[in-house]
Each structure stands twice: as structure tokens, then as C-alpha cells.
Amino acid sequence: MAQKPSIPKGTRDFSPVEIAKRDYIFNIVKKHFKVFGFQPIETPSFENSDTLMGKYGDEGDRLIFKILNSGDFISKVDDVTYSSKNSKSLTPKISEKALRYDLTVPFARYVVMHQNEIDFPFKRYQIQPVWRADRPQKGRFREFYQCDADVVGANSLLQEVELIQLYDRVFTDLRLEGVSIKLNNRKILAGIAEVIGARNNLVNFTVALDKLDKIGVEGVKKEMLTKGISEQSLTKAAPLFSLTGSNTDQLATLKNFLAGSEQGRRGVEDLEYIIKAFDELGLQSTRLALDVTLARGLNYYTGTIFEVAAPLGVQMGSIGGGGRYDDLTGIFGLKNVSGVGISFGLDRIYLVLEELGLFPEALDRTLDVLCINFGEKESMTALKLADQFRKQGFKADVYPSNAKMQKQMKYANNRNVPYVILIGEKEMTANSFVVKNMTSGEQNTYSLENPNEFLNTL
RNA sequence: GUGGUUGUAGCUCAGCUGGUUAGAGCGCUGGAUUGUGGUUCCAGAGGUCGCCGGUUCGAACCCGGUCUUCCACCCCA
């Protein structure tokens, strides 16, 4: 008996319309990647486990899909490990490969392995699926695409400025208005922790701070207290919970607040440079917003932190993120190579565009003309005509069988074909073809000698 | 990984405290219409009620497990 087929949790099939929409986004993103001078690379879908494990924190390790070794792997496990029933110690003995969790760490690995062939600064983009053994939710999948652009080997903040421009160009081109690019700096977060006396608790402090817009001031304070941050520290941090005003105003407040921390001051300088640059350069459709509560990717970001929020009113987590990491390739033995990069969350951008109805209508036009099949002789003539159309780049097809007219028309209708071509006995003798406009219902006759007369109207 | 939620026809969903043969709309197939779709009318096909087990004279409905969906945590694109 045939069983009902299914696909794993958090994965999806993509139908033709969906592919057309995905390609639409891909192509726009790619176009701008190229225009900004980025070059594409690809890396394997799976890596050696030690390349990935330990790079994303404990939480990340848990979410990495491990690949079982081939062969009789279990017999090679020593008895002690085997009977310990401890997943953490057993896993490395039965699995030495894992599915890629993001594109940044594999890129770092790539840079180290190919350092002698690469001309630095190296700007690369990469569009490939990644896998996370997460629990799915809306806009959260276990297999999804990331589109990354990173620059390695350049310390200059000019890169940050360019990456923000890149975000701006892509979202403008996608006609997605009201996107905000949130900006912060790891050095500022470290500076704050230093100033309020929570230096040893930086990660807990920032993770809690990151939730400000979600759980409110009281919620954040509560979480910080339970994570061992003192009452005095919280009192000192109070001004941060109510930062308001323009980016410049906030920077001024921060500068003051962080005067006692060298690291903090450097972070402020970084942000100041970037924000000032945009006073001069301007942005097309996005908004740049300083946000000290932003704390992403703390496991490797060391400088700038980016996060892109969908337009107000759209219920969706971040649609992009990125940052600067001074030491990423250091893990793989290459010191002093700075990197900065951004990522587009393709699947989420898709959902946002869908929700706002921003996909061009033309995307579902998968066929420009369909020729009705009237029989053997007629279909041969139709095929010749279709061939001429195809040679000129139009999407043309001939219905494969001499089915009932009604059925063929219905097929054309369901496929959203704008023009149907009829070549029957009458047309054959007159050496002509009839074009029916499926929107208006109008019909026009053209000569088979000169099909361009019709094509020129398309 | 923790807590909750969902699953009935291809799709969206009804289905009473557990009681004969599980329904609707849309879609599909055929006909009205032998060269005209999208509108209309008529007829028809299509369901192991997610899966496995239990309670019961009797289960779509109650219980347990499992898979899936969505949500809140954790974390994150």
C-alpha cells in the first residue's frame, strides 16, 4: 500500500510561481552585489564538524544538523563512550560532518584555505541554503536561503558605509518602503557594561538589553537581576532605557555616558563616522536608526552590528543582519584579517513582499502565447509559428494534443496566457492566424507571412 | 530543548453531550456548447476523518503515544 508522502518539518516545496518570485528577489540582490564589486563563491552544503562546532555558542551547536558517518559507525565506538549514553561525547564519534549553519563561518574557512590566491580586500557574495535544527515558526524554517555579502581584509569604516548603501539600493529596487537599518557597535555595548560595572556579564547584559522593545524596561531589568547584574548597575544604566531623539542626539548622550570607557568612546566614534557619512550621501528609501539595544551575533561580532527591520506594521522578525568581526579567520589560524558583512533573509523578504503585494504582476506570465491544436497538419504550422516566436525570445507553446477547444482554452486561461493563437482549417487556407486577446476577448487576424506584425504589438 | 496549539475531499472549512450512509463552498470531470476560456445552468467523481494504540455495544468526537502546523520561550534570517 502506498504511504502518504511528506517532507520534513520546517522544509518546503517550491512551485513555479514561488520560484518566479524567489528569482525576482535573487536577481535584484545579485545585481546590486555585482554593481558594488562583490564576486560570487559557493561552498559545500556540509563541512567537517570541527569547522562548525563551537563557532555559534552552545545554542548554535544544538541547532547544527549532524550527518551520521557512513558504514558500521556504531561498532567503532569504544564501550565506555557507548554505554555512557551521553550525546555530547557520543556525537563526535559517530558524526564527523555537519550541514552548513550559516555562510559566514564557511566563508572564513574559505578565506583561510585560499588566502594565497585571494587579492585583498576581497569582496564576495554567496547565495545558498543553510540548515538549522530549530523549531519552525512563521518565517522560520529548518532549511532557508541566506544571501551574504562580506568584505575581508579592509579595516576601513568605508565598508560599513557601502554595505548600508547596498541594503538601501536593494530594498529600494524591491520597492519595499519603510525598511529601517538598525545600527550599533559591540564596543559600545562593552563600554556600557564597563561603565555600569557589569563587565564580566557582558553577554547576559546585552542579551537582556536586546529584548527592550519586546518585554519593556521592567522585563529587561528583571531579567538582568536574575542574570546577576546588580541593582547599582541597573541604576547607572537607567539613561539607556530612555534614549530618544535623532541619531545625533543619541550619540551625544552616549558620548557623555561612555566618557569613562576607552572602548566605549571608540565605538561612539565609529558610529559617528557612519552616521555623518550619510548626512552627506543620503539614502533612497531606508532609514538609518541608531539602536543601542541591538545585540546580535555576539559570538563573533567585534565592531559594527547591523539589523534590518521590516516596515512598520508587518509582523516579521528581522529581514537581514550583519556586522564586523575582527577576528573571525583567527579561529582558523589567519590573524589580523578584519571582515564585515551583511545578510539578506530571502525567505522573510519574500513573505513581506507577499504580504504587501509588492511582487510585479508580470511574474506569473509564464507563457506569452499558446497555440491551439486543431490536428496534425494545423499543429505543424502552429509549431513553425511558435518556433519563430521562440527565436525572438517570446515564451510560446503549442497545445500538445488535439483536445477539445474548450479544454485547451481553459488551460490557457488557468495558465494566465495573455494571447491564444488559433490556426484551423480556415486559417490554413487563408495562410493566416487568429490572435485572441484573453483579457479583452478581442480577436485579430494576421498573415503567416509576417508574424512580426503581431509580435510588435506585444 | 521547554510549554501550548492544530490536523476532516485537491483547497478553505462545518460536523451538537460519543449514536444509522461524514457535509458545504471553491476546484475537478462530463453535458448544455462539433471553432472559443474567464459568467450561468445541469449532472458526476472524489474521504484509511494525520498515523498507531486504548476506552466503549458503538469513536471524526474521549484517553495515551507519535508525526505535522502555528504560537510563546530559548535562540535567530
PDB file of all heavy atoms in Angstrom, chain A residues 19 27 36 38 40 116 125-126 138 153 162 182 204 252 259 281 303 306 402:
ATOM      1  N   ILE A  19       8.964  30.016  -7.362  1.00  0.00           N
ATOM      2  CA  ILE A  19      10.316  30.139  -7.907  1.00  0.00           C
ATOM      3  C   ILE A  19      10.453  31.465  -8.651  1.00  0.00           C
ATOM      4  O   ILE A  19      11.453  32.173  -8.512  1.00  0.00           O
ATOM      5  CB  ILE A  19      10.649  28.968  -8.862  1.00  0.00           C
ATOM      6  CG1 ILE A  19      10.639  27.641  -8.112  1.00  0.00           C
ATOM      7  CG2 ILE A  19      11.983  29.209  -9.554  1.00  0.00           C
ATOM      8  CD1 ILE A  19      11.795  27.413  -7.186  1.00  0.00           C
ATOM      9  N   ASN A  27      17.543  38.006  -8.223  1.00  0.00           N
ATOM     10  CA  ASN A  27      18.162  38.757  -9.308  1.00  0.00           C
ATOM     11  C   ASN A  27      18.434  40.199  -8.918  1.00  0.00           C
ATOM     12  O   ASN A  27      19.473  40.759  -9.293  1.00  0.00           O
ATOM     13  CB  ASN A  27      17.288  38.683 -10.561  1.00  0.00           C
ATOM     14  CG  ASN A  27      17.322  37.283 -11.155  1.00  0.00           C
ATOM     15  OD1 ASN A  27      18.291  36.531 -10.943  1.00  0.00           O
ATOM     16  ND2 ASN A  27      16.268  36.898 -11.854  1.00  0.00           N
ATOM     17  N   PHE A  36      28.270  46.588  -6.762  1.00  0.00           N
ATOM     18  CA  PHE A  36      29.152  47.074  -5.694  1.00  0.00           C
ATOM     19  C   PHE A  36      30.502  46.349  -5.702  1.00  0.00           C
ATOM     20  O   PHE A  36      31.304  46.521  -4.793  1.00  0.00           O
ATOM     21  CB  PHE A  36      28.487  46.898  -4.325  1.00  0.00           C
ATOM     22  CG  PHE A  36      27.556  48.024  -3.953  1.00  0.00           C
ATOM     23  CD1 PHE A  36      26.292  48.117  -4.497  1.00  0.00           C
ATOM     24  CD2 PHE A  36      27.968  49.012  -3.064  1.00  0.00           C
ATOM     25  CE1 PHE A  36      25.432  49.149  -4.159  1.00  0.00           C
ATOM     26  CE2 PHE A  36      27.114  50.055  -2.713  1.00  0.00           C
ATOM     27  CZ  PHE A  36      25.843  50.124  -3.263  1.00  0.00           C
ATOM     28  N   PHE A  38      31.144  42.948  -5.686  1.00  0.00           N
ATOM     29  CA  PHE A  38      31.288  41.668  -4.993  1.00  0.00           C
ATOM     30  C   PHE A  38      31.351  40.530  -6.005  1.00  0.00           C
ATOM     31  O   PHE A  38      30.731  40.589  -7.064  1.00  0.00           O
ATOM     32  CB  PHE A  38      30.116  41.448  -4.041  1.00  0.00           C
ATOM     33  CG  PHE A  38      30.154  42.343  -2.836  1.00  0.00           C
ATOM     34  CD1 PHE A  38      29.628  43.621  -2.892  1.00  0.00           C
ATOM     35  CD2 PHE A  38      30.727  41.914  -1.654  1.00  0.00           C
ATOM     36  CE1 PHE A  38      29.667  44.468  -1.791  1.00  0.00           C
ATOM     37  CE2 PHE A  38      30.771  42.743  -0.545  1.00  0.00           C
ATOM     38  CZ  PHE A  38      30.234  44.024  -0.614  1.00  0.00           C
ATOM     39  N   PRO A  40      30.998  36.250  -6.676  1.00  0.00           N
ATOM     40  CA  PRO A  40      30.330  35.099  -6.067  1.00  0.00           C
ATOM     41  C   PRO A  40      31.278  33.948  -5.756  1.00  0.00           C
ATOM     42  O   PRO A  40      32.234  33.716  -6.490  1.00  0.00           O
ATOM     43  CB  PRO A  40      29.343  34.669  -7.153  1.00  0.00           C
ATOM     44  CG  PRO A  40      29.992  35.078  -8.428  1.00  0.00           C
ATOM     45  CD  PRO A  40      30.790  36.327  -8.127  1.00  0.00           C
ATOM     46  N   ASN A 116      46.234  32.465  -0.288  1.00  0.00           N
ATOM     47  CA  ASN A 116      47.306  32.801  -1.225  1.00  0.00           C
ATOM     48  C   ASN A 116      46.812  33.145  -2.623  1.00  0.00           C
ATOM     49  O   ASN A 116      47.543  33.743  -3.411  1.00  0.00           O
ATOM     50  CB  ASN A 116      48.334  31.676  -1.278  1.00  0.00           C
ATOM     51  CG  ASN A 116      49.031  31.517   0.053  1.00  0.00           C
ATOM     52  OD1 ASN A 116      49.317  32.512   0.723  1.00  0.00           O
ATOM     53  ND2 ASN A 116      49.259  30.276   0.462  1.00  0.00           N
ATOM     54  N   TYR A 125      30.170  37.582  -2.541  1.00  0.00           N
ATOM     55  CA  TYR A 125      28.784  37.323  -2.160  1.00  0.00           C
ATOM     56  C   TYR A 125      28.502  35.851  -2.324  1.00  0.00           C
ATOM     57  O   TYR A 125      29.212  35.151  -3.053  1.00  0.00           O
ATOM     58  CB  TYR A 125      27.792  38.198  -2.934  1.00  0.00           C
ATOM     59  CG  TYR A 125      27.512  37.816  -4.376  1.00  0.00           C
ATOM     60  CD1 TYR A 125      26.576  36.815  -4.688  1.00  0.00           C
ATOM     61  CD2 TYR A 125      28.144  38.476  -5.425  1.00  0.00           C
ATOM     62  CE1 TYR A 125      26.291  36.494  -6.008  1.00  0.00           C
ATOM     63  CE2 TYR A 125      27.864  38.159  -6.743  1.00  0.00           C
ATOM     64  CZ  TYR A 125      26.941  37.159  -7.038  1.00  0.00           C
ATOM     65  OH  TYR A 125      26.662  36.843  -8.341  1.00  0.00           O
ATOM     66  N   GLN A 126      27.502  35.382  -1.613  1.00  0.00           N
ATOM     67  CA  GLN A 126      27.194  33.959  -1.600  1.00  0.00           C
ATOM     68  C   GLN A 126      25.703  33.796  -1.330  1.00  0.00           C
ATOM     69  O   GLN A 126      25.177  34.374  -0.390  1.00  0.00           O
ATOM     70  CB  GLN A 126      28.031  33.297  -0.490  1.00  0.00           C
ATOM     71  CG  GLN A 126      28.002  31.793  -0.493  1.00  0.00           C
ATOM     72  CD  GLN A 126      29.031  31.189   0.460  1.00  0.00           C
ATOM     73  OE1 GLN A 126      29.844  31.896   1.063  1.00  0.00           O
ATOM     74  NE2 GLN A 126      28.985  29.871   0.621  1.00  0.00           N
ATOM     75  N   LYS A 138       6.520  31.048  12.056  1.00  0.00           N
ATOM     76  CA  LYS A 138       6.306  31.830  10.840  1.00  0.00           C
ATOM     77  C   LYS A 138       7.612  32.521  10.446  1.00  0.00           C
ATOM     78  O   LYS A 138       8.233  33.196  11.262  1.00  0.00           O
ATOM     79  CB  LYS A 138       5.228  32.874  11.079  1.00  0.00           C
ATOM     80  CG  LYS A 138       4.899  33.624   9.817  1.00  0.00           C
ATOM     81  CD  LYS A 138       3.785  34.611  10.004  1.00  0.00           C
ATOM     82  CE  LYS A 138       3.405  35.172   8.648  1.00  0.00           C
ATOM     83  NZ  LYS A 138       2.052  35.722   8.685  1.00  0.00           N
ATOM     84  N   GLY A 153      39.667  41.865   4.844  1.00  0.00           N
ATOM     85  CA  GLY A 153      40.953  42.466   4.572  1.00  0.00           C
ATOM     86  C   GLY A 153      40.896  43.975   4.415  1.00  0.00           C
ATOM     87  O   GLY A 153      41.742  44.568   3.745  1.00  0.00           O
ATOM     88  N   GLU A 162      29.370  51.474   2.718  1.00  0.00           N
ATOM     89  CA  GLU A 162      28.969  50.827   1.466  1.00  0.00           C
ATOM     90  C   GLU A 162      27.909  49.764   1.681  1.00  0.00           C
ATOM     91  O   GLU A 162      26.985  49.635   0.890  1.00  0.00           O
ATOM     92  CB  GLU A 162      30.189  50.151   0.816  1.00  0.00           C
ATOM     93  CG  GLU A 162      31.001  51.071  -0.046  1.00  0.00           C
ATOM     94  CD  GLU A 162      31.870  50.270  -1.012  1.00  0.00           C
ATOM     95  OE1 GLU A 162      31.937  49.030  -0.884  1.00  0.00           O
ATOM     96  OE2 GLU A 162      32.470  50.899  -1.894  1.00  0.00           O
ATOM     97  N   LYS A 182      19.017  49.143  11.479  1.00  0.00           N
ATOM     98  CA  LYS A 182      19.423  49.464  12.844  1.00  0.00           C
ATOM     99  C   LYS A 182      20.920  49.252  12.990  1.00  0.00           C
ATOM    100  O   LYS A 182      21.488  48.325  12.402  1.00  0.00           O
ATOM    101  CB  LYS A 182      18.654  48.603  13.836  1.00  0.00           C
ATOM    102  CG  LYS A 182      17.167  48.896  13.803  1.00  0.00           C
ATOM    103  CD  LYS A 182      16.487  48.331  15.021  1.00  0.00           C
ATOM    104  CE  LYS A 182      15.603  47.170  14.659  1.00  0.00           C
ATOM    105  NZ  LYS A 182      15.039  46.518  15.847  1.00  0.00           N
ATOM    106  N   ASN A 204      25.184  38.375  29.062  1.00  0.00           N
ATOM    107  CA  ASN A 204      23.873  38.392  29.707  1.00  0.00           C
ATOM    108  C   ASN A 204      23.250  39.779  29.666  1.00  0.00           C
ATOM    109  O   ASN A 204      22.054  39.936  29.443  1.00  0.00           O
ATOM    110  CB  ASN A 204      23.984  37.932  31.158  1.00  0.00           C
ATOM    111  CG  ASN A 204      24.125  36.427  31.246  1.00  0.00           C
ATOM    112  OD1 ASN A 204      23.670  35.709  30.358  1.00  0.00           O
ATOM    113  ND2 ASN A 204      24.761  35.956  32.291  1.00  0.00           N
ATOM    114  N   ALA A 252      25.289  61.977  21.143  1.00  0.00           N
ATOM    115  CA  ALA A 252      25.805  62.947  22.110  1.00  0.00           C
ATOM    116  C   ALA A 252      25.605  62.418  23.529  1.00  0.00           C
ATOM    117  O   ALA A 252      26.537  62.453  24.353  1.00  0.00           O
ATOM    118  CB  ALA A 252      25.092  64.279  21.918  1.00  0.00           C
ATOM    119  N   ALA A 259      32.047  58.391  28.525  1.00  0.00           N
ATOM    120  CA  ALA A 259      33.297  59.144  28.619  1.00  0.00           C
ATOM    121  C   ALA A 259      34.372  58.380  29.381  1.00  0.00           C
ATOM    122  O   ALA A 259      35.564  58.492  29.082  1.00  0.00           O
ATOM    123  CB  ALA A 259      33.031  60.506  29.270  1.00  0.00           C
ATOM    124  N   LEU A 281      25.794  61.506   2.065  1.00  0.00           N
ATOM    125  CA  LEU A 281      25.425  60.611   0.967  1.00  0.00           C
ATOM    126  C   LEU A 281      23.917  60.456   0.800  1.00  0.00           C
ATOM    127  O   LEU A 281      23.428  60.261  -0.307  1.00  0.00           O
ATOM    128  CB  LEU A 281      26.024  59.219   1.216  1.00  0.00           C
ATOM    129  CG  LEU A 281      27.546  59.123   1.163  1.00  0.00           C
ATOM    130  CD1 LEU A 281      28.001  57.812   1.768  1.00  0.00           C
ATOM    131  CD2 LEU A 281      28.037  59.252  -0.277  1.00  0.00           C
ATOM    132  N   GLY A 303      32.750  44.817  16.160  1.00  0.00           N
ATOM    133  CA  GLY A 303      32.548  46.254  15.912  1.00  0.00           C
ATOM    134  C   GLY A 303      31.097  46.528  15.593  1.00  0.00           C
ATOM    135  O   GLY A 303      30.207  46.203  16.374  1.00  0.00           O
ATOM    136  N   PHE A 306      24.674  45.271  12.499  1.00  0.00           N
ATOM    137  CA  PHE A 306      23.518  45.705  11.709  1.00  0.00           C
ATOM    138  C   PHE A 306      22.343  44.790  11.957  1.00  0.00           C
ATOM    139  O   PHE A 306      22.513  43.589  12.157  1.00  0.00           O
ATOM    140  CB  PHE A 306      23.783  45.571  10.197  1.00  0.00           C
ATOM    141  CG  PHE A 306      24.936  46.330   9.664  1.00  0.00           C
ATOM    142  CD1 PHE A 306      26.054  45.660   9.186  1.00  0.00           C
ATOM    143  CD2 PHE A 306      24.909  47.719   9.603  1.00  0.00           C
ATOM    144  CE1 PHE A 306      27.125  46.347   8.641  1.00  0.00           C
ATOM    145  CE2 PHE A 306      25.976  48.408   9.065  1.00  0.00           C
ATOM    146  CZ  PHE A 306      27.085  47.727   8.587  1.00  0.00           C
ATOM    147  N   ASN A 402      -4.793  17.299 -29.840  1.00  0.00           N
ATOM    148  CA  ASN A 402      -5.978  17.862 -30.465  1.00  0.00           C
ATOM    149  C   ASN A 402      -7.174  17.688 -29.534  1.00  0.00           C
ATOM    150  O   ASN A 402      -8.158  17.059 -29.876  1.00  0.00           O
ATOM    151  CB  ASN A 402      -6.185  17.131 -31.797  1.00  0.00           C
ATOM    152  CG  ASN A 402      -7.381  17.656 -32.554  1.00  0.00           C
ATOM    153  OD1 ASN A 402      -7.961  18.669 -32.175  1.00  0.00           O
ATOM    154  ND2 ASN A 402      -7.761  16.963 -33.610  1.00  0.00           N
TER     155      ASN A 402
END
